[in-house]
Amino acid sequence: DGRARPTLDLTIAGNHVSGQGQVAAKGSVRDEWRLAIDAPALAALAPLWAQPGRATKAPALAGSLTAKARVDGRWPELTSEGELHASGLRYDTVTVARAEGKWQLASAGDAKVDATLAIDGVASAGRTIGTVRGRLSGTARAHRAELRIESQALPPEWVDGLVAAAAASGVSLAASGVSSAASGISPAASSVTPGASGISPAASGVAPAATTGRSEVLLSAEGGLVDVNGQRAAGWRGRLIELVAHSLEAPRRTWLQARDVRGSAIWGAGPLRIDVEPGRAEALGATLRWSRVAYQGAADGRGAAGKASAARLDLQATIDPLPVAPILARLQPGFGWAGDLAVGARIEVHSTPAITASIVVERAGGDLVVQQDFDKQSLGLSDLRFGIAAEGGVWHFTVALAGSTLGVASGAVTARTSSPTAWPDAATPIEGVLELQVADLGTWGAWVPAGWRLGGKLHASASIGGRLGAPEYTGRLEGSGLSARNFLQGVNVTDGELAIALEGETARIERFTARGGKGTAKLAGEAQLGAKPSANLKLVADAFQLLGRVDRRIVASANATMRLDAETIGLQGKFKVDEGLIDFTRADAPTLGDDVEVVRRPRNGASPAAETKALVATPVEPQVGRKVDLDLRIDMGEKLRIRGRGLDATLRGELHLTSPNGRLAAEGSIRAVDGTYQAYGQKLAINRAVITFVGPINNPRLDIEATRPDLDVRVGVVVAGTVLNPRIRLFSQPDMSDVDKLSWLVLGKASTSAGGTESALLQRAALALLSGEGPSTTDKVTKALGLDEFSVRSGEGGVKDTIVSVGKQISKRWYVGYERGLNSTTGSWQLIYRIAQRFTVKAQAGGDTAVDVNWTLRWK
């Protein structure tokens, strides 16, 4: 009968595909096609997706699928019907728990069209998308389409922030919180439940969709196939009844909405043409209005017209003025944004015969205000504009910003393409100018971290060349009276002068000087601004005051170089501390304790467990930083004093800092001279204190010896080992028992009895333990009275008496003291002059008046 009958019968690993067809020669006989799929074990087909010779793993494949389909006729008159059932589907990272569908389609104008689709448990890469319900009904000439997508996934937080900010500003979307009935879609039609779609739950095996999803997309449209130039089924014309995407949980947010949008798509004899009638849409809190949207695809010259043509786009649209402050306040909650600044936009693009474009984003009115604590600062905006204009292959980009607080900035760049129909790319040559002027950097206080203050003038003027992907600048950047202050940190840099020459891809520092205290710092070098940016800088400082606080003061000189590129940070040179004081006896600002855990409120009411699960499911990839190349020598100088935690000494020495394998390492030693250390309730003199670094900086070697001064014997503490494993012991010369060492260290004399003297020893030792790293109670009393010694001891006579002693070390050799027994009527004053270590003269007046000359001789 002149008809071909191709057949297909294929079985692989228990999966069966069969197909039959009848293809007629030209005439009135219709073509017929039948296809059946019975695949209960799709996982067995996974190896077929592996690519030979490739090490890449084949994508995962699993689930079961059954489908039947029938297609009759030949274009443009076709009819088709069929159904499919699937469960446990998986391809790579996409999974579908269940899918059901039926369809009856035809291209003839009055033929019936009916299709339903129900998909449950859709997920991608472990992120649940939700459920999909869809229905198409009517005829080819007049049909209606409805789609609902429910999802547990919300848009990014910044999207929700924009919508919430727009709602707070009074321009919220009209559909926020709209019900399906209010949207013009009946509940039955909009829900598209399996029963309503013509697929019963029992037949489909899919339970009715629960409305517990966190967000929803609704789509409803109507239209039909139309005849174009006498050719049937050559296009589609209709309207989008509603498109809305919103959340289902309180507070309800609507991210996208469009209603009653009419248009057509023609694909007859010629290129694809799409036309959209004037309308509006609301997205992310902004209202977009268009007066014309038209697209025509490219023609290859083989059609009826016989002429080749490029694709064409015509677009005319505007964006209504949108308040900016609520959006900024939502994105930066702690910054203090306020004000009534509104920004709108105009868009007009035509792509043929040449590309012409006019896009303008500009200030429609108002100003921005920054409110921080009790300081309210207006930016004083008078101009804010960004524009793009194109015609004949020439593109103009302009930007303008003017504000009484910010200053003035303007720029214009022209890009010339090789063809009037070409869009600019990274290789397009450009030319332009840039101008920036700030009369007072102090007005930028709201833009710098809290506590910092800027000052001075800044001016930049440059011409722009090169390519769009790698611009080149030629001009100058100058600053005068520059300053940076932070009184809390003790930073006060003043009298800054800056001059940078911009020469193509190179920025050269001609002058950069600043003053800190009585010293100066100079910076020189240049930077490459091309496709591979890099910088080489040299720093020379002379007695420059880095810190100027009462308790933290550093004056340093330096001669160093720094190299910076996309992969490496290199710092080489030498720093010397000319003068300094680091006093950490005062407490810093209060901080949260180690046992305090901050639990932030879950987003949109989600449980902490759900938030934790989400964090575990989407781990953050660690960022790879730049390689650090460090070769730095630090000289402590002669005048660096350190105080705190019982230590009061001058530091000297030199360290060599390097960074092998990206880890900080140090070599060298630091020694403490002319210092004291508070221990066991006594102020010990530091005889030797050397900290030696060899390798990792966190575990240096210790060699410390501290003794109690002004005694007839030499007794003290020795610390050896490392910081992580220190070894501490008492020593004396001559050697004596540990009890006597501790007695001399604490009481200043040998242990003579187990009575009052031993009790006093335990008392002082207990005070030392209670004081920890800080001063003891006795130390606090003596310091408040301006004394060096305050002690309580038992008398050594036949009748025991409690004696209270106070004293002051006037100089290294002179000591004045007063002591009195609690049972005595008078006390005695003492004046002691130390001639040598074992030779003293003592004068006493009061209850007993005497002059003693003491000389001590000891032998082993």
Side-chain angles (χ1 to χ4, degrees):
D1 56 4
R3 288 184 289 181
R5 293 180 174 82
T7 59
L8 172 67
D9 193 356
L10 181 63
T11 301
I12 302 177
N15 300 289
H16 184 225
V17 179
S18 62
Q20 299 175 355
Q22 293 185 11
V23 183
K26 292 183 179 181
S28 60
V29 182
R30 297 165 56 90
D31 297 338
E32 297 179 2
W33 298 93
R34 306 289 184 272
L35 179 66
I37 300 176
D38 183 14
L42 290 176
L45 304 179
L48 299 179
W49 269 258
Q51 299 184 14
R54 294 281 301 274
T56 25
K57 186 178 179 181
L61 183 66
S64 62
L65 172 67
T66 61
K68 296 179 181 180
R70 174 179 177 177
V71 179
D72 295 330
R74 185 178 298 178
W75 184 258
E77 293 187 3
L78 287 175
T79 61
S80 175
E81 61 180 23
E83 62 180 70
L84 65 86
H85 308 273
S87 63
L89 290 181
R90 179 181 180 185
Y91 179 75
D92 203 9
T93 60
V94 178
T95 59
V96 174
R98 293 182 181 87
E100 303 286 338
K102 282 187 177 182
W103 69 91
Q104 181 179 345
L105 304 175
S107 61
D110 297 325
K112 182 180 179 180
V113 173
D114 189 16
T116 59
L117 178 65
I119 303 177
D120 286 311
V122 184
S124 177
R127 188 179 181 92
T128 301
I129 297 176
T131 63
V132 179
R133 296 289 185 270
R135 179 169 185 176
L136 177 67
S137 59
T139 66
R141 192 180 304 278
H143 51 257
R144 181 186 181 101
E146 296 161 353
L147 178 70
R148 172 191 289 264
I149 301 174
E150 291 183 1
S151 174
Q152 296 181 6
L154 291 175
E157 188 174 355
W158 64 268
V159 171
D160 197 40
L162 289 180
V163 176
S169 66
V171 292
S172 60
L173 296 177
S176 293
V178 69
S179 64
S180 297
S183 67
I185 307 175
S186 64
S190 64
S191 299
V192 195
T193 59
S197 65
I199 307 176
S200 65
S204 66
V206 183
T211 58
T212 58
R214 297 177 61 186
S215 61
E216 180 183 59
V217 178
L218 295 174
L219 171 66
S220 178
E222 64 180 11
L225 299 177
V226 296
D227 296 341
V228 178
N229 298 328
Q231 298 185 15
R232 302 183 64 187
W236 180 89
R237 180 176 289 112
R239 70 185 182 106
L240 178 70
I241 300 175
E242 181 182 53
L243 171 62
V244 58
H246 59 184
S247 63
L248 293 175
E249 299 178 354
R252 299 189 70 172
R253 310 286 193 205
T254 300
W255 308 297
L256 173 65
Q257 176 182 281
R259 286 182 174 179
D260 197 21
V261 178
R262 300 175 182 270
S264 63
I266 307 301
W267 57 83
L272 172 66
R273 301 197 310 274
I274 299 175
D275 289 282
V276 181
E277 297 181 9
R280 56 175 284 178
E282 295 174 342
L284 307 182
T287 300
L288 172 67
R289 305 175 188 272
W290 62 88
S291 58
R292 177 169 174 76
V293 176
Y295 171 81
Q296 179 173 307
D300 56 12
R302 292 179 295 180
K307 295 182 179 180
S309 63
R312 175 171 181 166
L313 172 66
D314 292 311
L315 172 63
Q316 293 179 344
T318 61
I319 298 178
D320 290 355
L322 181 68
V324 175
I327 296 175
L328 295 178
R330 183 76 180 189
L331 298 179
Q332 293 180 295
F335 196 80
W337 289 108
D340 57 353
L341 176 66
V343 174
R346 303 189 309 273
I347 305 170
E348 184 172 354
V349 177
H350 305 283
S351 62
T352 57
I355 295 177
T356 60
S358 177
I359 303 173
V360 178
V361 180
E362 61 184 348
R363 168 181 172 267
D367 192 11
L368 279 177
V369 175
V370 178
Q371 176 76 47
Q372 292 187 343
D373 298 328
F374 300 101
D375 184 20
K376 184 176 181 181
Q377 187 176 45
S378 172
L379 302 188
L381 289 174
S382 58
D383 191 12
L384 176 61
R385 187 178 191 274
F386 172 75
I388 300 176
E391 186 173 1
V394 180
W395 292 74
H396 301 281
F397 303 89
T398 58
V399 61
L401 171 66
S404 58
T405 298
L406 297 177
V408 177
S410 61
V413 174
T414 299
R416 302 181 183 276
T417 59
S418 58
S419 169
T421 60
W423 303 86
D425 55 20
T428 304
I430 60 174
E431 57 183 4
V433 294
L434 175 66
E435 190 80 17
L436 170 66
Q437 186 163 357
V438 181
D440 184 7
L441 285 173
T443 59
W444 286 22
W447 307 90
V448 297
W452 287 89
R453 294 293 183 268
L454 301 179
K457 301 179 180 179
L458 194 64
H459 176 259
S461 178
S463 60
I464 304 174
R467 295 172 289 110
L468 188 62
E472 299 178 357
Y473 303 89
T474 303
R476 296 182 66 80
L477 173 63
E478 296 180 340
S480 61
L482 303 178
S483 63
R485 299 180 179 88
N486 189 319
F487 292 107
L488 293 178
Q489 299 297 330
V491 177
N492 187 15
V493 180
T494 60
D495 301 331
E497 298 291 332
L498 171 66
I500 299 178
L502 304 175
E503 302 171 349
E505 293 187 351
T506 302
R508 179 169 47 85
I509 300 177
E510 295 181 346
R511 182 179 71 260
F512 183 85
T513 61
R515 181 173 294 277
K518 298 180 180 179
T520 59
K522 297 180 180 179
L523 189 66
E526 63 180 29
Q528 300 297 322
L529 307 177
K532 296 182 179 180
S534 63
N536 290 277
L537 306 175
K538 182 176 182 180
L539 172 66
V540 177
D542 183 16
F544 187 81
Q545 181 176 287
L546 296 174
L547 297 177
R549 276 173 40 165
V550 175
D551 58 341
R552 296 178 188 178
R553 184 170 182 267
I554 296 292
V555 178
S557 298
N559 192 331
T561 59
M562 184 177 71
R563 296 178 292 103
L564 177 65
D565 56 35
E567 298 179 353
T568 306
I569 297 177
L571 181 61
Q572 295 84 29
K574 183 175 182 179
F575 284 77
K576 180 182 179 182
V577 180
D578 299 314
E579 181 181 352
L581 171 64
I582 304 297
D583 188 343
F584 45 90
T585 56
R586 297 177 175 83
D588 291 332
T591 58
L592 292 175
D594 295 336
D595 59 340
V596 177
E597 179 181 359
V598 178
V599 179
R600 303 192 182 278
R601 179 181 298 175
R603 181 169 174 260
N604 288 334
S607 65
E611 293 289 322
T612 304
K613 182 178 179 181
L615 291 176
V616 173
T618 56
V620 178
E621 293 293 335
Q623 296 183 355
V624 180
R626 289 186 176 94
K627 177 183 177 182
V628 178
D629 182 11
L630 192 64
D631 185 6
L632 198 61
R633 297 185 181 274
I634 301 178
D635 187 350
M636 301 299 169
E638 304 289 330
K639 299 180 180 180
L640 176 58
R641 195 80 180 176
I642 184 170
R643 295 175 185 163
R645 299 186 183 272
L647 177 65
D648 184 0
T650 299
L651 297 184
R652 295 178 183 174
E654 182 175 303
L655 290 181
H656 182 204
L657 301 181
T658 56
S659 56
N661 299 322
R663 298 180 178 272
L664 183 63
E667 294 183 0
S669 62
I670 299 176
R671 63 186 186 277
V673 298
D674 187 21
T676 60
Y677 183 72
Q678 196 82 12
Y680 297 99
Q682 296 292 334
K683 184 175 291 186
L684 306 181
I686 297 177
N687 304 107
R688 181 181 71 253
V690 180
I691 303 176
T692 304
F693 294 85
V694 180
I697 199 171
N698 62 341
N699 193 29
R701 291 201 299 264
L702 305 177
D703 183 9
I704 303 173
E705 178 185 285
T707 60
R708 178 170 175 173
D710 306 324
L711 292 181
D712 295 334
V713 298
R714 192 164 182 265
V715 61
V717 180
V718 172
V719 182
T722 65
V723 167
L724 299 181
N725 186 24
R727 299 190 301 274
I728 305 173
R729 64 179 179 87
L730 299 175
F731 81 97
S732 65
Q733 292 179 351
D735 194 17
M736 58 186 73
S737 67
D738 289 340
V739 174
D740 287 337
K741 291 176 184 177
L742 189 59
S743 178
W744 276 103
L745 187 65
V746 176
L747 299 177
K749 63 178 184 178
S751 176
T752 57
S753 69
T757 303
E758 294 297 330
S759 177
L761 184 150
L762 294 176
Q763 179 189 42
R764 300 297 295 272
L767 288 173
L769 291 174
L770 289 174
S771 65
E773 295 180 335
S776 65
T777 305
T778 305
D779 298 329
K780 296 176 181 178
V781 173
T782 57
K783 183 177 181 181
L785 298 176
L787 303 175
D788 290 331
E789 181 180 357
F790 176 81
S791 62
V792 180
R793 74 178 191 275
S794 297
E796 298 178 357
V799 178
K800 298 297 184 180
D801 189 13
T802 300
I803 300 174
V804 179
S805 301
V806 295
K808 176 70 176 180
Q809 190 77 36
I810 300 176
S811 66
K812 183 177 181 180
R813 297 183 182 274
W814 290 96
Y815 172 85
V816 177
Y818 177 80
E819 64 179 28
R820 178 177 174 176
L822 296 183
N823 297 325
S824 301
T825 57
T826 61
S828 61
W829 289 92
Q830 298 176 352
L831 179 64
I832 300 176
Y833 178 70
R834 181 174 295 277
I835 301 175
Q837 180 179 356
R838 299 179 182 180
F839 190 17
T840 60
V841 177
K842 176 180 178 183
Q844 180 173 310
D848 293 322
T849 301
V851 176
D852 298 331
V853 178
N854 298 323
W855 180 67
T856 304
L857 176 64
R858 292 185 177 275
W859 62 87
K860 295 183 179 180

